[in-house]
């Protein structure tokens, strides 16, 4: 270099040039279009190899790297997008990605993202699980040793994730399963499956912390969102849920040594025509764990069968033994400003465990009306300690 002999303005120019060049290099996104890796948008060709190759190539680079699925319909058999990656990964799909219908091709998932720190999934595209032909093979409600159908999209051990402007339809089992993740945001997600499709939960979370779900529309045949053991610091807002089974914490207490569930906020949500609104459920009997610090507030219920529901006597496949109580301790649960219509007369049902009664449950400003047969809405409390204040329709049982 001849810097030493150059004039000052030239030095400044060179420095500015270098700075811009470096800054550009850091923000420029390298694009890995799956079509360049052999993907064909004919709705028939299996593109999972092309997708996987595009991902592996993108994952080797530092900086910001985008795997792009352009418009069109791409069939793909099960595929894993695995890290760790060198840089920040963007998975942008503008097209429709379709699952095969042949169940023999699947293990327990269709698309898996795992061990990635720094991931954005976006693009406005759709993941179509093509579940309709698989739903009749869902035996798991009857047979506990059943082979499970595949989950559409698994997020395993993702840190700093953002999923936005994505649709998922007709999963064979759950749409999204979030496991072992930290700091993830999901926004503007659309999830749909028919009301009578089995176990098509929208988003299931477990062993994850710092997860935010907002501005999304979810309608399925099971829970819109279900929050399993080990979930901590979960914030859900502006979600429209229906049809479906509502937003559930649980089922908790199915297994030994489950992690506690703590710090859940569900607010500014609408439930429409769902079987439950906000529900906490634990198996009976069940081993000891904690479920604590939940806030459900500013929630509108439109014709929801069980709007506010704690069920600590959950035992769907056998009859409950009332002496074999759940040992999951539920505490610090706040229900605030929840209004609308209840599909059943029993609008508020707090059925806690005789073994470990619920502690510190608060009902504030509840206005849930029941119209039609059976008369006005009622509430029922079993083994609950707590307080009620503000407006209480139905009259509080606390
Ligand atoms: C309760 O949970 C919220 C949301 O996760 C969290 O911000 C808050 O700190 C928690 N409070 C306590 C006392 O742990
Ligand atoms: C949440 O809902 C409440 C009650 O409807 C409303 O006052 C508040 O503005 C809403 N918050 C947001 C962030 O939309």
């Amino acid at each position: 270099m001849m810097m030493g002999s150059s004039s000052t303005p030239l030095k400044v120019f060179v420095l500015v040039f270098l700075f811009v060049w470096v800054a550009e290099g850091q923000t420029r996104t390298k694009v890995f279009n799956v079509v360049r890796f052999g993907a064909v948008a004919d709705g028939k060709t299996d593109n999972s190899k092309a997708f996987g190759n595009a991902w592996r190539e993108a994952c080797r680079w530092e900086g910001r790297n985008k795997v792009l699925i352009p418009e069109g319909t791409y069939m793909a058999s099960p595929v894993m997008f695995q890290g760790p990656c060198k840089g920040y990964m963007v998975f942008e799909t503008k097209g429709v990605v379709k699952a095969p219908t042949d169940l023999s091709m699947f293990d327990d998932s269709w698309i898996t993202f795992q061990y990635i720190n720094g991931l954005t999934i976006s693009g406005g595209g759709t993941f179509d699980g093509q579940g309709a032909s698989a739903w009749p093979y869902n035996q798991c409600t009857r047979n506990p040793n059943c082979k499970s159908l595949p989950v559409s999209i698994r997020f395993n051990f993702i840190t700093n994730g953002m999923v936005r402007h994505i649709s998922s339809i007709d999963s064979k089992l759950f749409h999204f399963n979030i496991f072992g993740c930290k700091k993830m945001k999901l926004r503007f997600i659309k999830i749909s499956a028919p009301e009578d499709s089995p176990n098509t939960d929208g988003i299931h979370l477990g062993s994850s912390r710092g997860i935010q779900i907002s501005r999304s529309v979810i309608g399925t045949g099971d829970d819109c969102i279900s929050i399993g053991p080990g979930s901590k610091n979960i914030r859900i807002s502006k979600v429209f849920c229906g049809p479906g089974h509502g937003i559930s914490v649980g089922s908790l207490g199915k297994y030994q040594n489950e992690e506690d569930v703590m710090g859940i906020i569900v607010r500014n949500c609408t439930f429409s025509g769902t079987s439950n609104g906000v529900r906490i459920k634990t198996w009976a009997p069940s081993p000891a764990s904690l479920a604590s610090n939940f806030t459900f507030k500013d929630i509108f219920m439109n014709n929801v069968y069980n709007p506010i529901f704690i069920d600590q006597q959950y035992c769907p496949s056998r009859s409950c033994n009332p002496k074999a109580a759940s040992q999951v301790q539920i505490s610090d649960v706040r229900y605030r400003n929840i209004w609308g219509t209840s599909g059943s007369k029993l609008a508020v049902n707090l059925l806690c465990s005789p073994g470990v009664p619920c502690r510190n449950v608060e009902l504030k400003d509840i206005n849930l009306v029941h119209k039609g047969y059976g008369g006005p809405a009622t509430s029922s409390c079993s083994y609950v300690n707590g307080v009620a204040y503000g407006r209480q329709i139905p009259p509080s049982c606390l």
Side-chain angles (χ1 to χ4, degrees):
M1 294 285 272
M2 306 210 332
M3 295 284 256
S5 62
S6 45
S7 63
T8 304
L10 183 59
K11 272 188 201 161
V12 169
F13 174 79
V14 168
L15 278 175
V16 167
F17 176 82
L18 272 175
F19 176 76
V20 168
W21 183 71
V22 168
E24 273 275 291
Q26 279 171 348
T27 56
R28 194 190 293 132
T29 304
K30 288 183 279 301
V31 178
F32 299 81
N33 186 329
V34 294
V35 172
R36 278 209 291 113
F37 290 80
V40 182
D42 60 2
K44 293 195 292 267
T45 306
D46 184 354
N47 290 299
S48 70
K49 283 221 169 61
F51 288 5
N53 288 340
W55 175 271
R56 269 186 296 280
E57 185 57 27
C59 181
R60 292 174 44 219
W61 293 83
E62 288 179 7
R64 195 177 164 91
N65 306 299
K66 179 192 288 185
V67 172
L68 173 68
I69 301 180
E71 277 169 29
T73 300
Y74 297 82
M75 171 73 77
S77 61
V79 52
M80 180 171 291
F81 300 111
Q82 173 121 5
C85 292
K86 273 244 175 85
Y88 187 95
M89 297 297 288
V90 179
F91 189 96
E92 184 173 307
T93 175
K94 298 182 190 290
V96 177
V97 184
K98 245 178 157 171
T101 50
D102 177 1
L103 288 179
S104 72
M105 299 177 81
F106 293 90
D107 192 5
D108 67 352
S109 34
W110 174 33
I111 293 173
T112 306
F113 292 91
Q114 86 181 7
Y115 303 119
I116 303 156
N117 183 353
L119 170 70
T120 290
I121 299 182
S122 63
T126 298
F127 294 90
D128 180 355
Q130 297 220 89
S133 63
W135 296 327
Y137 295 94
N138 187 320
Q139 304 291 324
C140 295
T141 48
R142 276 153 285 164
N143 173 10
N145 303 315
C146 59
K147 183 181 187 297
S148 175
L149 291 170
V151 166
S152 268
I153 304 183
R154 282 187 194 272
F155 298 99
N156 295 333
F157 307 101
I158 306 297
T159 306
N160 297 315
M162 164 68 91
V163 183
R164 58 180 150 84
H165 294 291
I166 282 293
S167 301
S168 176
I169 63 172
D170 293 347
S171 55
K172 293 178 169 70
L173 197 74
F174 300 174
H175 286 260
F176 292 178
N177 191 80
I178 296 178
F179 180 80
C181 295
K182 276 183 223 154
K183 292 198 199 158
M184 266 186 91
K185 291 183 182 163
L186 298 94
R187 300 204 172 136
F188 304 104
I189 307 289
K190 273 194 212 155
I191 295 178
S192 75
E195 189 165 7
D196 58 356
S197 57
N199 302 120
T200 51
D201 295 47
I203 303 174
H204 178 77
L205 312 161
S207 302
S208 293
R209 56 178 69 209
I211 312 295
Q212 297 181 17
I213 302 171
S214 60
R215 297 171 191 268
S216 294
V217 177
I218 306 176
T220 72
D222 207 307
D223 293 331
C224 290
I225 299 174
S226 53
I227 300 168
S231 302
K232 302 205 162 92
N233 186 15
I234 310 296
R235 290 161 188 269
I236 298 169
S237 62
K238 299 186 181 173
V239 169
F240 181 99
C241 168
H245 297 181
I247 294 182
S248 295
V249 178
S251 314
L252 304 179
K254 190 171 187 183
Y255 303 105
Q256 289 292 332
N257 305 316
E258 279 184 0
E259 295 170 89
D260 299 338
V261 177
M262 293 186 149
I264 314 275
I265 302 177
V266 178
R267 65 177 176 85
N268 289 85
C269 291
T270 295
F271 294 81
S272 186
T274 52
S275 52
N276 306 290
V278 287
R279 173 170 63 160
I280 303 172
K281 62 175 172 169
T282 75
W283 289 78
S286 65
S289 66
L290 296 177
S292 175
N293 183 16
F294 303 161
T295 302
F296 302 102
K297 73 170 186 179
D298 300 326
I299 290 172
F300 173 54
M301 305 278 181
N302 173 33
N303 188 30
V304 172
Y305 200 77
N306 303 303
I308 296 178
F309 192 14
I310 294 179
D311 180 7
Q312 291 212 264
Q313 293 177 14
Y314 182 69
C315 37
S317 54
R318 51 207 150 97
S319 58
C320 269
N321 174 354
K323 284 190 194 129
S326 171
Q327 298 297 324
V328 178
Q329 172 72 70
I330 295 175
S331 65
D332 303 300
V333 183
R334 294 164 285 273
Y335 299 97
R336 295 182 180 162
N337 190 30
I338 299 182
W339 78 100
T341 53
S342 176
S344 78
K345 198 170 134 61
L346 188 52
V348 177
N349 188 5
L350 308 177
L351 184 57
C352 293
S353 169
V356 282
C358 292
R359 289 206 304 241
N360 198 13
V361 173
E362 175 197 296
L363 291 169
K364 182 186 177 208
D365 296 325
I366 307 297
N367 185 4
L368 292 164
V369 299
H370 174 244
K371 295 192 183 119
Y373 184 76
T378 59
S379 66
S380 164
C381 292
S382 312
Y383 309 104
V384 199
N385 302 305
V387 292
Y389 54 103
R391 189 176 209 180
Q392 293 293 327
I393 302 170
S396 164
C397 53
L398 284 172

